[in-house]
Amino acid sequence: MRFSMAAVASLPETRAAVPLSAEVQLLVGAAMGVAPGQVRALATEVEDWPGLYRLADFHALRAAAYHGLLRAGITLPLSLAELWRSYAEQNARHNLWLSSELLRVMEAFESAGVRVLPYKGPTLGAAVHPSLATRESSDLDLLVSPADAARAEQITAALGYTPLLDLTPRQRAAYLRDECELDLVSAEGEQLDLHWALVPRHSQMAFDFEAWWQRRVPLPLGGRSIPTLAPEDGLLALAVHGSKHAWERMGWAVDFALWMSAHPQMDWEEIARQAAAMRATRALRFAVLVTDAVTGVSPPVPVRAQAGMDRDAWAMAADAVERMQHARKVGDAARWRNTLRLLPDRGARRRCLTWFALTSGVAEWSSVRLPDALFPLYVPVRLLRIVRAALR
């Protein structure tokens, strides 16, 4: 796929469509580590410091912004200074623990001969953030081959992790087929997410673990080296993750921007080719436009231009930035609209809606307990829930 420079002339301007508040500009600037003088200049425009803290909390940027404000010599209001400092220290301790736990988990997988690719979490913090103390990570995320999902669960069980969901054999088979990850929790309440795909089956985005494994790169962590995603694959993983969640958090846009900045030699032609093969082209464009609008960090001009020419991606980005500024969560209806708009054509959207109507899931299994012999009856339960939701 080749990018046309002629596209630049018709490039929409997402940032102009959604002007950023002073609070957002300071939050992102501090989190991104822009020049201290620029941070100080932005700080003079902020009046609602408690609001800035709440915004940082919502967008998982408290730790990164705090370190950026300290570097710029910003004196925080007394009512917030201790609160912000305490959280930053707690986050640093938790990230160190997560890193240590990740090394323990990786050693267990290596001993068992099961391939695994950690991503997000402390892996992302170590890869592109200034230090492990700055990124907020709530859990560990591991990518495995779909064929190894059951074995991977056994390995994590031996380490003390158990599934959050209590599924019957029939439900479990359907879950492994239709979903993309299994949420596991330790006795201490720490979470580990085991992924065998990037998105659920209805999103219709392909995932080739074998190709990603072949392109893996080493990452230094805690005095050791662990495998993780190649720059191009890591960018696509971040794009798909943020787009799946309709870019609810600015922290994800900061991650995407830092990833682009840390890997300036990425092959964007190859990224576009892989995105097309994964059916994730719009997810990539959505990511590029949101990140550009929020952080000002862009890919090469032709890539940004082509993203801006996708009217659906442009509209989705404008909606996302508007929500971000007001710290609004994405509701279920908006999330489903986002899922449909990510799909490339009407045929794909029809298939997605058919899946939605005729495939039961955790919500139905939790509302009615049926024996596995009656598992097909969950489809009428699903349809009834849809009708009730529509009537409401």
Side-chain angles (χ1 to χ4, degrees):
M1 179 178 181
R2 297 215 165 263
F3 300 107
S4 170
M5 288 297 294
V8 178
S10 59
L11 174 63
E13 186 51 68
T14 307
R15 269 172 285 172
V18 187
L20 300 180
S21 68
E23 287 75 17
V24 168
Q25 292 183 60
L26 176 59
L27 175 61
V28 173
M32 291 284 296
V34 301
Q38 188 176 349
V39 173
R40 288 192 293 271
L42 291 169
T44 63
E45 304 295 323
V46 173
E47 298 179 357
D48 184 7
W49 284 89
L52 178 71
Y53 182 84
R54 291 191 297 271
L55 194 68
D57 183 8
F58 182 88
H59 290 294
L61 285 173
R62 280 181 291 175
Y66 178 74
H67 286 278
L69 294 170
L70 282 187
R71 282 194 300 272
I74 302 297
T75 301
L76 295 168
L78 289 177
S79 59
L80 293 174
E82 177 58 25
L83 184 64
W84 220 320
R85 182 194 66 79
S86 176
Y87 177 79
E89 291 181 354
Q90 172 192 333
N91 183 72
R93 288 192 298 270
H94 189 238
N95 282 353
L96 287 173
W97 182 90
L98 281 174
S99 300
S100 174
E101 181 67 359
L102 177 59
L103 293 177
R104 184 175 80 102
V105 171
M106 294 298 293
E107 185 176 352
F109 272 84
E110 184 178 347
S111 298
V114 175
R115 299 170 301 169
V116 60
L117 289 169
Y119 78 122
K120 298 192 298 180
T123 309
L124 182 54
V128 300
H129 282 256
S131 77
L132 281 173
T134 55
R135 187 176 191 271
E136 297 185 25
S137 304
S138 59
D139 55 19
L140 298 176
D141 292 276
L142 305 177
L143 278 168
V144 298
S145 166
D148 289 333
R151 180 73 180 113
E153 186 182 352
Q154 294 173 357
I155 295 169
T156 54
L159 295 172
Y161 287 91
T162 58
L164 285 174
L165 296 174
D166 180 20
L167 303 177
T168 69
R170 187 72 181 270
Q171 291 169 355
R172 177 182 172 79
Y175 189 90
L176 292 174
R177 181 192 67 228
D178 296 329
E179 297 297 331
C180 61
E181 64 186 275
L182 187 64
D183 297 333
L184 308 169
V185 65
S186 69
E188 296 76 25
E190 297 291 345
Q191 190 163 320
L192 184 153
D193 294 343
L194 196 60
H195 302 254
W196 52 89
L198 296 179
V199 290
R201 187 166 65 106
H202 68 270
S203 296
Q204 302 174 57
M205 290 184 192
F207 170 59
D208 187 349
F209 177 86
E210 298 299 328
W212 285 26
W213 175 259
Q214 292 300 321
R215 292 191 293 265
R216 71 192 183 280
V217 296
L219 175 71
L221 182 68
R224 293 179 52 188
S225 177
I226 61 173
T228 190
L229 303 180
E232 291 79 6
D233 297 333
L235 187 85
L236 284 172
L238 293 177
V240 170
H241 175 260
S243 298
K244 177 178 72 171
H245 296 289
W247 290 97
E248 187 175 76
R249 290 183 178 177
M250 272 188 236
W252 300 332
V254 168
D255 288 338
F256 197 83
L258 290 175
W259 191 275
M260 283 194 288
S261 299
H263 301 100
Q265 302 304 316
M266 282 189 298
D267 185 344
W268 283 92
E269 296 280 352
E270 177 62 16
I271 290 170
R273 187 195 67 77
Q274 289 185 37
M278 292 171 59
R279 298 189 290 275
T281 296
R282 181 158 292 149
L284 176 62
R285 292 171 178 172
F286 189 10
V288 163
L289 293 172
V290 167
T291 301
D292 179 40
V294 171
T295 71
V297 177
S298 294
V301 170
V303 182
R304 169 64 173 83
Q306 207 160 62
M309 292 178 67
D310 185 327
R311 296 295 172 176
D312 276 320
W314 188 91
M316 293 163 73
D319 289 345
V321 176
E322 183 66 29
R323 280 196 313 271
M324 284 178 174
Q325 295 211 79
H326 296 93
R328 290 200 304 264
K329 287 186 173 293
V330 181
D332 290 340
R335 198 176 298 278
W336 260 99
R337 284 196 298 272
N338 178 79
T339 298
L340 291 174
R341 293 174 84 176
L342 286 172
L343 297 173
D345 52 51
R346 291 179 179 178
R349 291 168 187 168
R350 281 195 297 269
R351 289 191 295 274
C352 182
L353 288 172
T354 300
W355 180 95
F356 174 71
L358 301 180
T359 305
S360 64
V362 173
E364 290 74 39
W365 306 337
S366 301
S367 63
V368 180
R369 301 293 291 185
L370 297 175
D372 275 357
L374 298 179
F375 183 83
L377 293 182
Y378 278 119
V379 172
V381 175
R382 174 77 160 188
L383 293 171
L384 180 59
R385 290 187 67 249
I386 294 172
V387 170
R388 285 178 174 173
L391 292 176
R392 286 198 301 270

